[in-house]
């Protein structure tokens, strides 16, 4: 693929000593946004991406459909040096256990059931496009009895949420997010795009459920139901003239792995607007962060074209993936004074239920989910069970492992043929629906990424080794979710076909209090270089800057102390923009005059309504990096 405007390939060299201002490792969501923000300030930025460029989205979607489907990473180019973990690497066993192959070495007790793509654009090429904000409660989960608190609160991040929504072109209904979710969004704010229209399935469920109540076994009061639309990074109708219109969603139902119309945001859209000073080097697998005797990062060692290269810069940003960032820090022996590098691995274990509605619902159209039920994300019950968000699935039983071709095969085996087969198949497919319960998984240091030295990757580097399990708190959340699902099915008059049968299709199978459950990975890995208020208990500070290395940032979902119940991409984007502003401040200060006085406090957030930042960031600024530079310019939110 020809590089887009503003994306220049950096030429190879066995040990180039060219001085860059910034090296960014990873060209996915966070890396592309950081490079865009810093390049826009005039900094020279080199972006190292382990994978390669992929064909455009339309070509990828066409190839995927021509191949008859496959796993989400299947239509993308494979890199021999940077293999991508895939959900197909896991296989369930008849006794309820699992086996794992591929890039990740898994040691249980349960499987980490998510993959990720190592390619230019990262997993942002094949994501679903859902962009809900985190709830204010999600930033203080420790206060609620489980997990860890953030060193910042919702109001610290809120201005950057708005910036990220502008950058990604989010379509949503602000009033609905205020009332249905309880988000304190400024009264004069509207999203760049109008909400994606509800599907026929959404409207069918809303008619049956809105205003009704169900009983959560862990809650003291019944939950009142309301179907509300979900924010999307997908082109809708612009709300204001300054928001450019783009290709609209055509309902192709192939958002994963690629949107053929280009309506869904991917990091390539941001890369197309990179400044000329930003350069991209694909096929560059980072193997070590270089540091001097004072603890300052000096550059990155990487492998490309059969050779080892070193590049140097004033500031290094790791933005690979929660697992790959942790792996790179462990390979480098850096940032681990707290012994938290690689620990607290999190995901959203997704419990699925599926069935047949009494009437046709028109599935397999539009994005994977356009609406959901929000009542179980917050409140007192989360002290007793993991909270969850309910997505209404538009793609029938596909994620449950029974897509149309599987249903066709099952009916053929019954002996049906001809008109009877077509009618029966049309009836079943037309009435399919599913619910997806995405559960919060609190930070747990026992869930972790380490290095497997006995099993090197193609470059001879140790592979990531994972230890993963779900706590009793999460399992109790599954029990509540299934109880709620049973009541929803009853209100809908739906036939419940949910089965978690031990075997190949359910590697994520478990039993809790005598009842079987099965989960899928949501692809929301986080927590492996966790953010906190102290260098003794966390890896990075509130700016995602490593406590032990004042010019080394580790950005992305790996910094998040909790994931809440919302898809984390928008929060990751907001954090990346916030960290980029801080990194620009650090670089400006580095080039400014030396100061003999005490450093100034960190920069205020770009909103008068935002709360003041904590004092922990002041103590984390190295004395070798003055912070008396002028306030950097900021993009409008």
């Amino acid at each position: 693929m020809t590089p887009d405007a503003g994306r220049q390939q950096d030429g190879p060299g066995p040990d180039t000593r060219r001085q860059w201002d910034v090296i960014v490792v990873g060209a996915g969501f966070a890396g592309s946004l950081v490079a865009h923000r810093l390049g826009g300030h005039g900094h020279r930025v080199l972006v190292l991406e382990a994978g390669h460029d992929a064909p455009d989205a339309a070509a990828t979607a066409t190839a995927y459909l021509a191949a008859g489907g496959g796993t989400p990473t299947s239509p993308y180019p494979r890199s021999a040096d940077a293999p991508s973990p895939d959900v197909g690497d896991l296989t369930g066993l008849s006794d309820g256990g699992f086996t794992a192959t591929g890039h990740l070495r898994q040691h249980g007790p349960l499987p980490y059931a998510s993959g990720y793509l190592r390619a230019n654009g990262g997993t942002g090429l094949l994501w679903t496009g859902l962009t809900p904000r985190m709830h204010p409660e999600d930033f203080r989960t420790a206060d609620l009895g489980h997990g860890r608190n953030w060193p910042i609160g919702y109001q610290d991040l809120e201005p950057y949420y708005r910036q990220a929504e502008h950058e990604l072109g989010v379509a949503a209904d602000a009033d609905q997010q205020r009332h249905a979710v309880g988000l304190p969004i400024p009264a004069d704010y509207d999203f760049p795009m109008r909400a994606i229209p509800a599907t026929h399935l959404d409207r069918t469920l809303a008619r049956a459920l809105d205003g009704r109540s169900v009983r959560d076994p862990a809650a003291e009061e019944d939950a009142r139901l309301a179907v509300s639309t979900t924010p999307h990074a997908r082109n809708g109708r612009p709300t204001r003239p300054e928001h450019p219109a783009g290709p609209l969603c055509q309902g192709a139902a192939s958002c994963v792995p690629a949107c053929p119309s280009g309506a869904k945001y991917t990091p390539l859209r941001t890369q197309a607007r990179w400044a000329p000073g930003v350069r991209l080097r694909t096929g560059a697998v980072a193997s070590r962060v270089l540091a001097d005797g004072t603890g300052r990062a000096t550059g990155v060692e990487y492998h490309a074209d059969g050779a080892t290269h070193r590049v140097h810069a004033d500031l290094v940003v790791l933005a690979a993936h929660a697992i790959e960032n942790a792996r790179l820090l462990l390979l480098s022996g850096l940032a681990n004074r707290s012994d938290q590098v690689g620990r607290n691995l999190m995901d959203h274990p997704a419990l699925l239920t599926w069935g047949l509605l009494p009437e046709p619902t028109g599935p397999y159209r539009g994005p994977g989910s356009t609406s959901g039920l929000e009542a179980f994300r917050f409140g007192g019950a989360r002290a007793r069970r993991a909270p969850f968000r309910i997505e209404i699935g538009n793609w029938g039983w596909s994620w449950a492992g029974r897509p149309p071709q599987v249903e066709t095969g099952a009916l053929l085996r019954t002996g049906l043929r001809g008109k009877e087969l077509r009618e029966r198949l049309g009836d079943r497919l037309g009435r399919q629906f599913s619910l997806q319960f995405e559960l919060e998984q609190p930070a747990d240091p026992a869930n972790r990424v380490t290095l497997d030295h006995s099993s090197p990757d193609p470059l001879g580097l140790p592979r990531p080794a994972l230890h993963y399990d779900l706590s009793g708190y999460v399992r109790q959340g599954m029990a509540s979710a299934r109880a709620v699902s049973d009541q929803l099915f009853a209100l809908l008059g739906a036939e419940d076909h949910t089965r978690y049968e031990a075997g190949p299709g359910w590697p994520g199978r478990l039993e809790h209090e005598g009842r079987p459950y099965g989960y899928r990975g949501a692809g929301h890995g986080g927590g492996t270089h966790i953010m906190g208020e102290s260098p003794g208990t966390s890896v990075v500070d509130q700016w995602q800057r490593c406590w032990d290395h004042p010019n080394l940032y580790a950005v992305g979902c790996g910094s998040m102390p909790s994931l809440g119940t919302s898809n984390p991409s928008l929060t990751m984007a907001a954090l990346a923009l916030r960290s980029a502003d801080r990194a620009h401040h650090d670089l400006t200060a580095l080039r400014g005059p030396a100061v003999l006085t005490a450093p100034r406090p960190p920069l205020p957030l770009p909103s008068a309504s935002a709360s003041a930042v904590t004092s922990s960031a002041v103590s984390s600024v190295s004395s070798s990096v003055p912070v008396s530079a002028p306030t950097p310019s900021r993009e409008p939110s």
Side-chain angles (χ1 to χ4, degrees), residues 1-13:
M1 182 175 70
T2 303
D4 294 318
R7 295 174 55 244
Q8 304 175 39
Q9 296 285 343
D10 183 54

Side-chain angles (χ1 to χ4, degrees), residues 20-375:
W20 296 88
D21 299 321
V22 185
I23 298 169
V24 177
V25 179
F29 256 103
S32 295
L33 288 168
V34 169
H36 176 52
R37 180 63 60 94
L38 293 179
H41 285 304
H43 300 295
R44 296 170 299 165
V45 183
L46 173 64
V47 181
L48 300 175
E49 169 55 51
H52 299 292
D53 279 321
D56 64 40
T60 300
T62 299
Y64 184 72
L65 294 175
T71 60
T73 63
S74 62
Y76 290 96
R78 302 283 175 160
S79 171
D81 291 341
S84 296
D86 191 87
V87 293
D89 296 342
L90 296 173
T91 303
L93 301 176
S94 59
D95 64 359
F98 72 96
T99 59
T101 58
H103 181 57
L104 302 178
R105 294 304 185 223
Q106 301 230 28
H107 304 299
L110 291 172
Y112 176 80
S114 290
Y116 51 92
L117 181 63
R118 299 174 80 187
N120 182 34
T123 309
L125 296 178
L126 51 78
W127 69 312
T128 59
L130 275 61
T131 52
R133 295 185 181 192
M134 290 179 67
H135 190 273
E137 278 189 7
D138 298 334
F139 291 84
R140 51 182 186 88
T141 54
D143 293 345
L144 303 172
H146 297 271
R148 297 174 59 134
N149 287 345
W150 289 57
I152 59 175
Y154 176 91
Q155 288 299 333
D156 296 293
L157 201 56
E158 200 281 329
Y160 289 97
Y161 269 139
R162 285 181 272 145
Q163 291 186 29
E165 286 156 355
H166 181 88
E167 178 67 35
L168 274 58
V170 170
D173 185 325
D175 284 338
Q176 202 169 63
Q177 291 299 301
R178 293 183 189 102
H179 299 141
V181 187
L183 297 178
I185 297 174
D188 61 347
Y189 178 71
D190 207 350
F191 288 90
M193 305 285 178
R194 301 191 187 281
I196 300 298
T199 63
H200 176 64
L201 174 61
D202 296 336
R203 295 193 296 270
T204 298
L205 267 62
R207 286 194 296 270
L209 300 179
D210 282 358
R212 307 292 290 273
S213 296
V214 297
R215 181 69 176 173
D216 175 356
E220 296 178 357
E221 298 180 355
D222 290 354
R224 189 171 178 83
L225 301 175
V227 173
S228 59
T229 57
T230 304
H232 277 253
R234 180 174 279 104
N235 292 338
R237 302 290 182 185
T239 54
R240 296 178 182 177
E242 62 265 28
H243 298 311
L248 297 177
C249 174
Q250 301 299 311
S254 63
C255 316
V256 179
C259 169
S261 71
K264 182 182 73 173
Y265 171 87
T266 76
L268 302 186
R269 193 180 294 178
T270 293
Q271 291 182 19
R273 298 187 292 110
W274 277 353
V278 180
R279 295 200 180 188
L280 172 68
R281 177 70 161 94
T282 58
V285 182
S287 56
R288 186 158 62 103
V289 177
L290 308 173
D292 63 20
T294 70
R296 295 187 62 80
T298 60
V300 174
E301 177 183 273
Y302 70 94
H303 299 271
D305 302 323
T308 301
H309 309 257
R310 289 186 174 187
V311 285
H312 301 269
D314 295 323
L315 189 142
V316 176
V317 179
L318 306 184
H321 179 273
I323 290 175
E324 296 299 328
N325 271 1
R327 180 193 187 204
L328 185 53
L329 288 172
L330 291 170
L331 286 170
S332 307
L334 298 178
N336 205 17
R337 181 190 350 172
S338 62
D339 188 36
Q340 295 300 301
V341 171
R343 294 189 182 273
N344 306 295
L345 176 64
M346 294 177 280
D347 194 7
H348 282 136
L351 180 81
L352 282 83
T353 59
W354 58 97
L356 296 175
L357 286 167
E359 298 178 354
T361 62
Y364 301 101
R365 299 175 185 173
S369 176
T370 40
S371 297
L373 296 160
E374 310 286 347

